[in-house]
Amino acid sequence: MDEDLNVTYITLDGFLEVQKYRYICFTIIFIVYILILCSNSTIVYLICIHRNLHEPMYVFIAALLINSVLFSNAIYPKLLIDLLSEKPIISYSACLFQYFMFYSIGGSEFLLLAVMSYDRYVSICKPLQYPTIMKKSTVITCLALAWLVPACQLVVSATMTVYEKLCSFTLKVIFCNNSIYKLHCVSSRAISIYGVFLLLNVAVFPLLFILFTYAKIFKITYSSCREVQKKAAQTCLPHLLVLINFALLGMYDVIIVRLESDIPKIVHLIMTLQLVLYHPLFNPMIYGLQMKEISKHLKQLLRQDKMN
């Protein structure tokens, strides 16, 4: 606690296992950060400049990749600074902001994937009604809700946390997540109940909706012609891979907080790094390679660069 400035600082104690290799870790993570920014931004750029990619499916993909950039910018700069610090610290207000960004973007990811599954359902199962259902105004509304709903709900959670008294000032993590609740002197029942509501609202219910939607798609395409089955596989498989990947990483986050004191620090560190390294790189790879139209434009862009 800094008495002069009246600012509370939290020590991030999750870096102890890598202090001897801090410069190697810094270099690797910095390279990964640049790769994340470049790969996601490249796919978004291609979707923006090519008119044949101005369809709802590609717009939602662009939103998903923008999420990865926002997420990385909320985590990586501080992470890189902390790797070079003798004693990584963060102000409590900055910690709350990082917590807010982490879960707000995570929630919007689930909601975007839910919207994308509905878009695929309408496209494959109701192709004649697709233009009237997935209008420009509908797409804009879905994007706004996907970003605003989790953000508004997380503001409430963060505000409730601000007024809790702190008895601990050390977190065994490398960035601020649900572990901040372990700083509180007394576990708040209201925060716990609201946390369950949040989890259901922005993760569990969207996940169930996605699974239900894809079950309907596969049921209809199973008895359809080969062309419809091929279209469904080409457009749905990348979304399902991203969903499975993100859902597993979301489970990691819950497990990490629950088992924090029961697992070795190095295992805890590796599991935490999965959240920030793997997923933001996974999305552009999947959509860049698996989505036919995006892949085609990406190859053209790379050929142009080679010619220049």
Side-chain angles (χ1 to χ4, degrees), residues 70-259:
L70 293 173
F71 174 83
S72 300
N73 286 333
I75 301 295
Y76 276 87
K78 182 69 172 75
L79 183 62
L80 290 167
I81 291 169
D82 288 341
L83 278 168
L84 299 181
S85 302
E86 289 293 333
K87 186 180 179 183
I89 60 170
I90 185 171
S91 69
Y92 186 55
S93 57
C95 191
L96 281 175
F97 178 73
Q98 198 173 58
Y99 155 86
F100 166 80
M101 291 295 293
F102 181 72
Y103 290 106
S104 175
I105 292 171
S108 66
E109 191 104 354
F110 273 116
L111 292 178
L112 284 170
L113 287 168
V115 171
M116 290 165 79
S117 70
Y118 179 70
D119 173 73
R120 291 301 83 211
Y121 168 75
V122 177
S123 174
I124 294 166
C125 304
K126 300 181 179 181
L128 297 179
Q129 296 172 261
Y130 185 80
T132 54
I133 294 176
M134 298 305 294
K135 298 180 291 186
K136 185 178 179 180
S137 58
T138 305
V139 172
I140 293 171
T141 302
C142 287
L143 288 175
L145 289 175
W147 274 315
L148 290 176
V149 168
C152 291
Q153 292 178 348
L154 258 299
V155 164
V156 176
S157 178
T159 303
M160 291 169 72
T161 306
V162 166
Y163 296 105
E164 290 296 313
K165 186 179 178 181
L166 305 183
C167 284
S168 174
F169 302 94
T170 301
L171 289 175
K172 297 177 181 179
V173 293
I174 58 174
F175 62 87
C176 296
N177 58 6
N178 263 332
S179 297
I180 61 171
Y181 298 135
K182 297 193 175 187
L183 300 175
H184 300 165
C185 297
V186 180
S187 180
S188 169
R189 188 170 182 178
I191 291 177
S192 298
I193 293 171
Y194 188 75
V196 172
F197 165 78
L198 260 180
L199 182 64
L200 290 172
N201 216 20
V202 299
V204 177
F205 291 152
L207 182 59
L208 292 175
F209 175 79
I210 293 166
L211 295 175
F212 173 77
T213 305
Y214 279 119
K216 295 278 286 183
I217 291 172
F218 291 138
K219 182 181 177 182
I220 291 171
T221 55
Y222 181 76
S223 56
S224 302
C225 65
R226 185 173 293 275
E227 190 63 34
V228 173
Q229 291 177 351
K230 186 179 177 182
K231 179 185 177 184
Q234 285 178 342
T235 59
C236 292
L237 186 59
H239 301 327
L240 277 175
L241 289 173
V242 169
L243 172 66
I244 292 167
N245 173 64
F246 191 66
L248 288 174
L249 292 176
M251 288 171 61
Y252 273 3
D253 181 60
V254 175
I255 292 168
I256 285 169
V257 175
R258 295 293 179 272
L259 302 181

